[in-house]
Amino acid sequence: MTSEDREYGAASRRPVEDEVDVVAEETQKAAKGDKDKKKGSFWKELPVLVVVALVLALIIKTFVIQAFYIPSESMENTLLVNDRVLVNKPVYRIRDIERGDVVVFSGVESWDGEVPFEEPSNPVAGFFRWVGTAFGVVPGEKDYIKRVIGVAGDTVKCCDVKGRVTVNGVPLDESYLYPGDVPSDRNFEVKVEPGRLWVMGDHRSVSLDSRSHLGDPGGGTIPVDKVIGRAFVIVWPFSRATILPIPDTFSQPALKAASAAAGAAPLLAGFAGAVPLLLWRRRWLSRR
């Protein structure tokens, strides 16, 4: 092959190599353009995603489960300051509130707050506080968390000869109380009216619970319709994550029997009143 042929062959190959380089360069530009488009699309979609996430979270918070921040010492050591709990909202549509449940309820227009609360200084701060309250980051102004001790029809009393709280005459073994606390530092006896609950904190010596409102309408009890839901699990901090079961003392057979007897009392009273009326009617008919 002559030098001319070699030069001709090399010249003929150059355009092919150039074409490959051009194609690779165009491919890189296209890929870069696609990446730029994806980045731009992501930043455009991000506000929408945030809004959708907030809306879904608020729907869940409103109707299903809500996180609550623990601001006070009133439920120690069951719940500590800065714990976060999840509250089941629809549970009481399925079953009644039970003794031993830890419930969150609203004290608006009734109880004073257990922790100091200052109104936000401006609308922006008010919005962020509302968001923080909604997602359990900051405490609500008038949200309380206590343990249900007595339900409608119960007689809650303190104290018996051993210093224990009793429900319908049955003493409670309150092993969940804060170490060193007594069941109550004051005596009381309350009959829980229909539609109301008697609630107490587990840290009795610092808890502003039903005992602190004996002189209020309802005699210290709270309305059932103010209950937001049942706190069923601690989710933060992770080291304390645990469920919140009903203590065994509320499952005593004697307590259940006493409750059944209390529930049957109106029926028995009705029968007792009906018997004399029936006898009188028979005598009146026989005279006729």
Side-chain angles (χ1 to χ4, degrees):
M1 182 180 292
T2 65
S3 60
E4 292 180 359
D5 292 337
R6 286 196 296 271
E7 290 176 1
Y8 176 78
S12 64
R13 287 196 299 273
R14 282 185 192 131
V16 175
E17 292 174 355
D18 291 344
E19 288 178 6
V20 172
D21 291 339
V22 170
V23 171
E25 185 177 353
E26 290 179 350
T27 302
Q28 291 174 357
K29 288 181 178 179
K32 185 178 180 181
D34 290 342
K35 288 180 180 179
D36 291 340
K37 287 181 180 178
K38 288 180 179 178
K39 287 181 179 178
S41 176
F42 171 76
W43 290 113
K44 289 179 181 178
E45 292 175 356
L46 182 60
V48 177
L49 292 174
V50 171
V51 170
V52 171
L54 284 173
V55 170
L56 290 176
L58 287 174
I59 291 174
I60 293 171
K61 167 254 177 188
T62 302
F63 299 105
V64 186
I65 291 176
Q66 183 175 355
F68 277 88
Y69 171 96
I70 306 303
S72 74
E73 303 170 345
S74 68
M75 282 295 292
E76 289 180 340
N77 279 335
T78 304
L79 300 173
L80 304 182
V81 176
N82 297 327
D83 280 355
R84 270 72 165 181
V85 298
L86 292 184
V87 172
N88 185 334
K89 289 190 168 184
V91 63
Y92 295 132
R93 298 175 185 172
I94 301 171
R95 70 166 176 85
D96 293 333
I97 299 173
E98 298 179 4
R99 304 182 198 92
D101 280 348
V102 175
V103 298
V104 172
F105 61 95
S106 171
V108 173
E109 298 179 355
S110 56
W111 290 11
D112 293 330
E114 290 185 316
V115 294
F117 175 82
E118 294 182 4
E119 290 289 343
S121 57
N122 59 68
V124 175
F127 171 76
F128 281 107
R129 180 172 182 83
W130 176 81
V131 172
T133 301
F135 294 100
V137 179
V138 296
E141 177 185 0
K142 286 291 187 72
D143 291 334
Y144 296 82
I145 185 163
K146 303 292 180 190
R147 190 180 298 279
V148 176
I149 303 299
V151 296
D154 286 344
T155 297
V156 185
K157 183 179 179 179
C158 193
C159 300
D160 68 1
V161 293
K162 293 185 178 181
R164 298 170 297 184
V165 171
T166 64
V167 178
N168 300 329
V170 180
L172 300 179
D173 177 17
E174 299 186 282
S175 57
Y176 47 79
L177 293 184
Y178 185 79
D181 269 11
V182 295
S184 180
D185 57 3
R186 71 194 74 180
N187 294 327
F188 62 86
E189 182 173 357
V190 175
K191 177 68 177 290
V192 183
E193 299 299 326
R196 304 190 73 88
L197 304 166
W198 179 269
V199 296
M200 300 173 75
D202 290 355
H203 194 170
R204 297 283 162 82
S205 60
V206 300
S207 178
L208 301 178
D209 49 40
S210 287
R211 297 168 300 159
S212 301
H213 299 273
L214 288 167
D216 295 353
T221 60
I222 65 165
V224 169
D225 59 12
K226 292 294 184 181
V227 173
I228 296 169
R230 177 180 180 239
F232 68 98
V233 64
I234 300 172
V235 293
W236 182 264
F238 291 137
S239 60
R240 285 182 39 76
T242 185
I243 60 172
L244 299 171
I246 296 177
D248 292 339
T249 190
F250 294 98
S251 300
Q252 296 180 77
L255 185 56
K256 292 183 177 181
S259 300
L267 183 62
L268 294 174
F271 275 115
V275 169
L277 289 175
L278 181 61
L279 294 175
W280 175 83
R281 180 174 179 275
R282 285 184 177 179
R283 289 179 181 177
W284 182 73
L285 290 174
S286 62
R287 290 175 181 176
R288 293 184 62 185

